[in-house]
Amino acid sequence: NAGVTQTPKFRILKIGQSMTLQCTQDMNHNYMYWYRQDPGMGLKLIYYSVGAGITDKGEVPNGYNVSRSTTEDFPLRLELAAPSQTSVYFCASTKDSTLSYEQYFGPGTRLTVT
Amino acid sequence: AQKITQTQPGMFVQEKEAVTLDCTYDTSDPSYGLFWYKQPSSGEMIFLIYQGSYDQQNATEGRYSLNFQKARKSANLVISASQLGDSAMYFCAMRELSSGGSYIPTFGRGTSLIVHP
């Protein structure tokens, strides 16, 4: 099992550009999440999904969009990138059942918007 | 009000000693869960321990234990016999039912732990 994979690892965007952060998990987890982590801070939830075709906003959704067409994939789309979106982005997944509530995290994507 | 509060921005401990990292939480959901994660300087998030709100006993995982005091709404992480490799950021998180009917997590700001030789 690869667990949770994210691509790219690093990216520099110019203001106004768009990009998609990819996230894939091979554990058949129903829940998937996107977080951002600003320097010296905890993780803030951007969007989450409880299954294919179902997504919902988290604490900081503005400027982002997501889709979940399959159980495995949960891409995060940034439209019109702004310097405020400079952050480290983590994707995570969990089965969220009585058997396990542990979230499995990807390695993160470090994004800089200049 | 913050859902997860970690009041210690930084903690220092001598190698081989025990250390307690504080976490208090706020929720009206009777069925919630509490987690601790470790984030070393390399950046990955590592799951340490989980405590459900209905669990009668404190969770333990090796050198990690969670001191769960439900009435005080605290879920402190205790690391016994600290090792140099324990130096990292530690995040407390809570899983609770959202208004949308799904369980979603909230993270605290973290505590930086430095273990001295």
Side-chain angles (χ1 to χ4, degrees):
Chain A
N1 281 357
V4 180
T5 57
Q6 289 183 239
T7 55
K9 285 188 166 51
F10 304 93
R11 184 72 187 268
I12 298 174
L13 280 182
K14 293 192 186 305
I15 295 171
Q17 287 185 322
S18 301
M19 76 165 293
T20 299
L21 281 67
Q22 301 292 346
C23 176
T24 301
Q25 54 91 8
D26 62 357
M27 297 171 282
N28 199 33
H29 286 170
N30 44 350
Y31 278 71
M32 294 188 75
Y33 310 87
W34 274 106
Y35 297 93
R36 59 176 288 171
Q37 184 179 28
D38 299 328
M41 303 291 284
L43 277 68
K44 293 191 175 181
L45 185 64
I46 305 172
Y47 270 95
Y48 67 98
S49 169
V50 302
I54 307 169
T55 62
D56 207 348
K57 296 177 181 178
E59 183 185 357
V60 289
N62 291 347
Y64 307 94
N65 275 302
V66 294
S67 59
R68 183 107 182 260
S69 56
T70 66
T71 299
E72 294 78 21
D73 300 307
F74 190 41
L76 177 72
R77 178 87 179 154
L78 278 73
E79 305 280 4
L80 299 175
S84 60
Q85 294 178 304
T86 293
S87 190
V88 178
Y89 291 83
F90 287 98
C91 179
S93 73
T94 181
K95 194 69 176 173
D96 198 76
S97 74
T98 52
L99 294 175
S100 172
Y101 297 111
E102 175 186 349
Q103 286 193 55
Y104 293 79
F105 282 83
T109 295
R110 187 173 294 274
L111 175 68
T112 302
V113 182
T114 61
Chain B
Q2 292 226 1
K3 287 183 177 291
I4 295 285
T5 303
Q6 294 182 254
T7 57
Q8 307 153 314
M11 289 284 286
F12 297 88
V13 67
Q14 205 73 26
E15 195 178 7
K16 298 179 187 174
E17 292 187 348
V19 63
T20 298
L21 306 184
D22 294 341
C23 174
T24 56
Y25 60 91
D26 183 29
T27 182
S28 56
D29 179 8
S31 179
Y32 55 91
L34 297 153
F35 305 80
W36 278 92
Y37 286 84
K38 172 184 178 182
Q39 187 178 42
S41 58
S42 51
E44 73 267 33
M45 295 290 288
I46 301 168
F47 168 79
L48 295 178
I49 199 165
Y50 173 81
Q51 177 90 37
S53 59
Y54 293 122
D55 294 342
Q56 296 292 323
Q57 298 205 331
N58 286 346
T60 60
E61 290 285 348
R63 294 186 298 110
Y64 304 107
S65 61
L66 199 152
N67 184 1
F68 183 45
Q69 298 188 42
K70 197 169 182 177
R72 297 178 64 182
K73 294 192 174 180
S74 78
N76 299 339
L77 178 70
V78 180
I79 305 175
S80 63
S82 297
Q83 301 172 356
L84 296 178
D86 293 336
S87 295
M89 283 292 290
Y90 288 82
F91 292 98
C92 180
M94 177 173 65
R95 165 190 174 273
E96 65 173 342
L97 195 63
S98 71
S99 55
S102 303
Y103 278 91
I104 61 172
T106 305
F107 282 75
R109 289 190 166 200
T111 295
S112 173
L113 176 66
I114 296 176
V115 180
H116 288 302

